[in-house]
Structure formats: structure tokens, C-alpha cells
Amino acid sequence: MLLDLPPIHNQDQYPFAINNVSYLEDQYLLALALVDGSIHLIDTNDGKLIQTIKEFDEVTSLAFSEDGNLLVSAHGKDGIAIWGVPPIDEQALP
């Protein structure tokens, strides 16, 4: 199924290259792994940034768990991290 969404990524909002993306369809949530080490969570309903996580030098890979409650990120030599994902209605804007 192809989604008809407006462009989410633009150079002004996300000036760093994207290494990986993961989409959580049930919650309309897109996770972007940027080379600056940050993870951006985007609401695909409106394209707005929900949250930014900045913990590592570089994020190389992302994946949501099957139930959508966890986001796993890989960080080169730093290993992996597991993040809890609250339901979309509980996510605070930055």
C-alpha cells in the first residue's frame, strides 16, 4: 500500500543525512536515524516532530518492535539501545 503523504524530510528541518528509517503504521509514527546521532520521531499525520533523542555519535539502524511498544537503535561501536514508545496520544511535543 502506498501512502499519500506530504514530504516530511527537508534540508532546513533535518540538515543531517538520514541513515535509516522505521515506520510504525498503527501509530502513524516515523523514526529517522540521522548521522549526527539523533533519532527524530515524526507524526506522519501532519509531519510534525514529536520527539528528538540524542544519545550517541551516530545512529546506524532502527526498528520498532512488532507490538510498537519499543524502538531499537544501533549505534556503531556504542552498541544498541532500546527505547519505550508511548502511545501517540501520550507523546509530548518538544
Side-chain angles (χ1 to χ4, degrees):
M1 173 172 85
L2 185 61
L3 300 175
D4 185 20
L5 299 172
I8 292 173
H9 180 270
N10 67 57
Q11 194 64 25
D12 295 329
Q13 192 173 12
Y14 307 107
F16 299 99
I18 296 173
N19 275 344
N20 198 280
V21 299
S22 186
Y23 180 60
L24 184 56
E25 185 175 359
D26 293 350
Q27 294 190 40
Y28 303 99
L29 188 62
L30 180 69
L32 305 176
L34 280 69
V35 297
D36 74 339
S38 65
I39 298 169
H40 293 246
L41 299 179
I42 309 295
D43 182 340
T44 59
N45 286 314
D46 56 18
K48 291 187 179 180
L49 177 67
I50 296 171
Q51 185 175 2
T52 299
I53 303 167
K54 175 73 170 121
E55 295 287 329
F56 301 94
D57 290 336
E58 184 176 2
V59 182
T60 56
S61 185
L62 292 172
F64 284 103
S65 62
E66 190 172 312
D67 64 6
N69 292 327
L70 300 172
L71 176 65
V72 179
S73 55
H75 306 275
K77 65 179 181 186
D78 294 321
I80 65 167
I82 301 173
W83 310 92
V85 179
I88 193 79
D89 59 349
E90 294 178 17
Q91 294 175 3
L93 294 175

